[in-house]
Each structure stands twice: as structure tokens, then as C-alpha cells.
Amino acid sequence: MIKDLGLRIGWTFFTLFICILVSLLVLLLHHTSATHHHPQPYPHERSCNLFRGSWIKDENNSNNYPLYNSSHCPFIEHEFNCQRNGRPDKDYLKYGWKPHGCSLTRFDGGAFLNKFKGKSIMFVGDSLSRNQWLSLVCLLYTSQPKANYNQTRVGDVSIFTFLDFGVQVMLDRRVYLVDVVMEKRGRILKLDSIMGGKLWKGIDMLIFNTWHWWNRRGISQPWDYIKVGGKYYKDMDRMVAFERALLTWAKWIETNIDPSKQLVFFQGVSPSHYNGTDWGQPGVKSCSGQTQPLSGSTYPAGLPPALTVQKNVLQTIQKPVTLLDVTNLSLLRKDGHPSIYGMNGKKGMDCSHWCLAGVPDTWNELLYNLVL
């Protein structure tokens, strides 16, 4: 009897073991199937970080850098057209960005236009957004020089339309993203208001940017008071104001973006080069005469604090927003600015904007790799 009882108990445990094993196999198969059929994360999952790498010179022109000839793009504004403005060196045009562990897919204007056929793209921000907007226009136009196009401007929005593809590439000049309005007491920077966002609704791909205007003072400051939480301030900590504005923008994203229909990017901080100490050349006071990028992958002075603020705010957003993290790779390009070959010629020194062709083409090549 005891022997029979032992057999029954043994059989019961064996049966239970088999049931558990079968259940685990079913769960494993279900998980594998779910993983296999789950849609790609946003944007497409990469095997490496596209924004970590170094600049490699195209010595033998094997990669055909630059991506276009600036003389073949008639839309480049004077302040970015370094070659037309007399810049004598051309080596800055021959560097391509090489991420660690992978390679960028070369920008293909035809593939880009077909991908966004019938769709709208809008850059929103300051003149660094204009820099990237014009770069994309040139990349697309030089790939399809015989395509019909139309240029127009409605208020603060510039629109370039590739008529054969129905693709609109737009720029909304909005340097703070939040609103600046006229009231009785003067020009008010409203950190809690983003009425300008009505222009962004329904756009298929948005690329936002703001930073360069936040530290402006004196006559170049386009506001008289800051308003936040119903109160007016003559001034406040600019980094705090910057963060509050980004949080207002983040709330707009959460409320208005449909991830199933729209792509959203943030350009990040585009750096300036006015202090040679930052890149290991003490005593140098500008980017003038710089003809080569920094070697390696790290900028000696480190990353700007504004980038940390941006990243922290982006992490609070539930909707998918991708940081186009151009800061570090652009910090390495002290050679890429107009310097005396910009808007004001030898009377000016522009180490904030970028020559076209040039660094913003790489920003768009990275964007291309993320959306195609």
C-alpha cells in the first residue's frame, strides 16, 4: 500500500512538472511571437549611438563630401554662404561624421522626398533652425534640380514646396518657442503661453530648437518683462526661465501630438566657438582661421548646461520625442562657422552659425538615418 501511495505521489508530481513545463513553453513562444510582431520603437532602434563618433576627412573624395555644391543651391542666405563670401579654404567641407560601431547611410534626396510624399515638415526655432532648414532645402533641391518648386512666406513661416512630390519644408521663426506679446507695460515673454503652437498642429514632422536667445541682454533682448504664474518679473535666472518655457512646450506636445501620425524631434544645443581655451587653444578669441575639426570624440570643455536642462525636460514627456543630439559632434567643428565670411564680413565675427554646405548637412543626414 505504501508503495502504491508513493507511486501515486510521484506520478502527481511528474504530472505537475509536465504542466508547469508546458505552461512555460507556451509563455516563451507567446513572448517570442509578441516581440517578433511588435512595431519598431520610435525612431528605429539602432545598433549604435549615431551621435557618438568622430569626424573623418574624405581624403580621396570616395564619399563625395560635401553632400552638395553650395554654388548649385541658389537659396543659401548670404550669412551662411561662406564660399561665395570669399572663404579661401575648403577642407572643412570634406569631413564626414563617423559614429562608433556603425556607418551613416548617405543622404538620398529622392528617397527622402518619396518617404514624405504629400507630407509636411516644419522647423521651429531661431536662426539655427533656419540654418538646418536651408540645409535640408539644398540637400533635396540639388538631388532633384529639375523638380518643380515653389517658395512663399506667410507671416513668420517660410515655405518651400517640392510640387512634384507634394512635400512642404517649412520654417517657423519662434526663437523662444513660447510667446512674446505686446501689453500696456511693454513686450512680455510669457513662459506659460504657447499660442504660436496653433501653426504646428497637423504637421507630419516637427523639428524644434531654442537656446541662443535666452541669454540676450540690452538692445538685443526682444522683451521688457517676463510673465510666469500670473506674475511679472523684470528679469530672472535665464536657465530657470529656459526650463519653464521648455516645460510649457512639453505640455503642448503631450496635448497636441498624435504619435501614430507625427514625428517630433528636438534639435538640441548648437554650440558657438568664441573661446579657444574651451578647445585647447588659450588666447584664441574666435573661430577665425580655424580650418580643421578637433580630433577624437570629446570636447575638452565638456557639454553646455543647457543640454542637461533639455534632456531632463524631454524625459518628462510621455509622447515620443527624439533628441537630435548634435551638440557634441558640433562642438568638435570649430572650423565650420562663417567667422568673417558671414553676414557682416570682416566687420563681424560669426562663430555661432554654420557655413552651408557644412555641419547642418550632417544634422540632416542624421535625421535621415532616423526616419528612413
Side-chain angles (χ1 to χ4, degrees), residues 74-316:
F75 315 108
I76 302 175
E77 294 178 7
H78 174 73
E79 63 186 293
F80 307 139
N81 206 330
C82 303
Q83 288 296 306
R84 187 187 297 168
N85 296 339
R87 181 167 176 169
D89 61 303
K90 293 187 177 182
D91 275 3
Y92 73 95
L93 295 167
K94 298 176 183 178
Y95 286 90
W97 178 248
K98 178 67 172 69
H100 296 320
C102 63
S103 297
L104 289 180
T105 300
R106 185 179 174 81
F107 189 95
D108 183 330
F112 188 99
L113 287 166
N114 280 307
K115 167 78 175 180
F116 287 93
K117 200 166 189 175
K119 296 186 182 297
S120 54
I121 300 163
M122 181 181 279
F123 293 88
V124 183
D126 55 29
S127 53
L128 278 308
S129 288
R130 189 165 80 249
N131 228 170
Q132 189 177 1
W133 171 70
L134 280 170
S135 163
L136 184 58
V137 167
C138 286
L139 284 163
L140 297 175
Y141 173 78
T142 54
S143 75
Q144 306 287 325
K146 295 182 180 179
N148 294 306
Y149 67 88
N150 182 51
Q151 274 184 293
T152 187
R153 186 181 176 98
V154 180
D156 286 330
V157 180
S158 301
I159 307 168
F160 195 102
T161 306
F162 291 87
L163 298 170
D164 300 329
F165 297 88
V167 175
Q168 288 187 316
V169 185
M170 297 177 279
L171 171 70
D172 178 18
R173 185 182 184 275
R174 203 161 298 272
V175 300
Y176 296 108
L177 297 184
V178 293
D179 300 329
V180 179
V181 301
M182 280 298 301
E183 294 184 1
K184 287 184 179 180
R185 65 176 69 196
R187 301 165 298 173
I188 312 298
L189 174 59
K190 301 176 72 175
L191 300 184
D192 293 338
S193 176
I194 198 159
M195 296 300 293
K198 63 181 180 291
L199 297 174
W200 315 333
K201 291 185 177 181
I203 301 297
D204 296 296
M205 181 163 70
L206 289 157
I207 305 100
F208 292 96
N209 155 61
T210 182
W211 169 242
H212 276 252
W213 283 69
W214 285 94
N215 282 318
R216 292 206 177 194
R217 290 172 169 80
I219 59 172
S220 66
Q221 176 185 297
W223 50 266
D224 302 304
Y225 293 91
I226 295 175
K227 185 178 181 182
V228 58
K231 296 181 179 180
Y232 293 89
Y233 301 88
K234 188 62 181 174
D235 207 343
M236 64 188 297
D237 184 301
R238 298 301 178 85
M239 198 70 79
V240 172
F242 174 61
E243 182 177 38
R244 185 61 180 261
L246 284 181
L247 288 169
T248 298
W249 166 81
K251 186 178 179 181
W252 185 92
I253 294 292
E254 296 281 32
T255 306
N256 294 282
I257 290 297
D258 181 351
S260 70
K261 299 178 180 178
Q262 295 169 285
L263 297 171
V264 182
F265 291 87
F266 203 96
Q267 187 197 69
V269 174
S270 173
S272 300
H273 291 90
Y274 287 101
N275 184 358
T277 302
D278 290 345
W279 64 82
Q281 285 187 296
V284 172
K285 301 299 183 185
S286 73
C287 60
S288 181
Q290 297 294 327
T291 59
Q292 294 178 334
L294 288 170
S295 60
S297 305
T298 306
Y299 192 64
L303 299 170
L307 182 62
T308 300
V309 173
Q310 286 182 358
K311 287 183 176 180
N312 289 342
V313 170
L314 290 177
Q315 287 175 357
T316 69

Side-chain angles (χ1 to χ4, degrees), residues 11-42:
W11 179 253
T12 300
F13 276 107
F14 178 76
T15 304
L16 184 61
F17 174 76
I18 293 297
C19 289
I20 292 171
L21 185 61
V22 169
S23 298
L24 287 172
L25 284 171
V26 169
L27 285 171
L28 181 62
L29 287 170
H30 177 75
H31 174 74
T32 304
S33 176
T35 303
H36 180 73
H37 293 292
H38 191 75
Q40 284 269 19
Y42 174 95

